Amino acid sequence: MSAFPLGRTRRASLISTMCAGLVAVGGVLTGCSEDPDAGTNGVGKLPPAQIQSKTRKAAEAADSVRLSGKVVVSGRTYKLDMRLKDDGGSGSVTTKGSTFWLLRVGTHLYLKADAGFWAQDDEAGGGQSAGAAAGKLDDKYVKVPQGDPSYKQLSGFTDKDVLLDGLLTLHGTLAQGDRSTADGVRTVEVTGDKGAGGTLAVSLEGEPYPLLLERAGNGGTLELSEWGKDFKLAEPTEKEMVDYGKQLPRS
């Protein structure tokens, strides 16, 4: 019997062992795998514009998402930790040392903050009304009337489509960036103007969800997680809320 087949088997075994050893020590060997995208969702093979298109569609189709991190708008920094879905959202927003909580169920929007938050209006010249209300509103949900000037601004923090549409936009010429991981998930980056226009890390596993966003112009960094993970949204109980009337105190 010819020894050639046995030698070929040994060579194949040697190559396999060598590749496994290089992987174990973090090495890279071209040719050990015919397809570096094997086992991924395939978006890494696509042009950057198509990757961005697919990740937008995946984000829009998802029922829910958690968004956390910092956003800088007009020089003001907002720290967000929001859970969002199509019919509302909940979470916290921190800016200028103050934290408030938002809850939206359908069109009903509620704001909760401590007495210090509400008392800021008094310090800014809001008069006695805000100061007197601060204790009453402390740690209570206050329903924000739809006619109040703050309704549109605050509800934007709880609107999945509005937030994602504004945040997932990259500016300038698109290019494919590095491959990395985000929270243990393999990703491929899409950059705008070599990162100056923003960088988006897209999942290479399962749906091509956006997982990490570095906004253009030092506009903050956000993590996007818990895609499709449902959570409960419920109106506050009577004991948890205060009806302040047709307009909130200025704050």
Side-chain angles (χ1 to χ4, degrees):
M1 185 174 182
S2 171
F4 183 75
L6 180 60
R8 184 167 54 193
T9 300
R10 284 175 176 169
R11 284 197 300 272
S13 177
L14 178 61
I15 291 173
S16 177
T17 301
M18 205 164 67
C19 286
L22 287 170
V23 170
V25 298
V28 178
L29 179 64
T30 302
C32 284
S33 174
E34 293 183 3
D35 182 6
D37 288 297
T40 72
N41 54 24
V43 298
K45 300 178 180 180
L46 302 176
Q50 288 188 30
I51 298 176
Q52 185 185 46
S53 175
K54 280 187 171 293
T55 198
R56 275 185 167 276
K57 289 179 180 178
E60 290 169 0
D63 294 330
S64 59
V65 64
R66 182 173 185 175
L67 190 153
S68 57
K70 294 182 179 180
V71 175
V72 181
V73 180
S74 301
R76 186 168 183 172
T77 300
Y78 297 88
K79 183 179 178 181
L80 310 179
D81 189 0
M82 302 296 301
R83 299 184 71 186
L84 311 169
K85 55 184 179 179
D86 292 335
D87 59 346
S90 65
S92 64
V93 180
T94 301
T95 183
K96 291 188 175 181
S98 293
T99 299
F100 56 90
W101 288 262
L102 294 171
L103 168 64
R104 183 174 63 84
V105 184
T107 59
H108 295 170
L109 176 67
Y110 302 91
L111 168 66
K112 182 172 74 171
D114 61 19
F117 173 88
W118 296 109
Q120 289 180 52
D121 184 58
D122 195 33
E123 296 171 3
Q128 296 182 352
S129 59
K136 181 182 179 182
L137 302 179
D138 181 36
D139 205 31
K140 295 285 187 179
Y141 280 107
V142 180
K143 189 172 183 179
V144 183
Q146 292 189 44
D148 190 277
S150 62
Y151 181 91
K152 183 176 181 180
Q153 179 185 10
L154 293 174
S155 64
F157 285 110
T158 66
D159 192 313
K160 172 178 169 282
D161 292 337
V162 169
L163 269 182
L164 292 182
D165 185 56
L167 294 174
L168 297 182
T169 299
L170 299 176
H171 304 280
T173 302
L174 298 181
Q176 187 176 133
D178 297 333
R179 295 191 180 215
S180 186
T181 60
D183 198 22
V185 177
R186 288 177 292 173
T187 62
V188 60
E189 291 181 348
V190 179
T191 65
D193 277 349
K194 299 180 180 180
T199 299
L200 188 65
V202 178
S203 175
L204 285 171
E205 302 176 21
E207 293 294 328
Y209 292 128
L211 300 182
L212 186 66
L213 169 68
E214 294 180 20
R215 301 185 70 222
N218 297 316
T221 300
L222 290 165
E223 295 182 10
L224 300 100
S225 61
E226 299 183 18
W227 288 100
K229 184 177 180 179
D230 195 22
F231 62 95
K232 185 178 180 180
L233 280 177
E235 304 267 356
T237 65
E238 290 188 8
K239 292 182 178 180
E240 294 175 320
M241 65 178 290
V242 172
D243 186 355
Y244 197 77
K246 295 183 179 181
Q247 189 169 348
L248 294 180
R250 291 180 301 160
S251 177

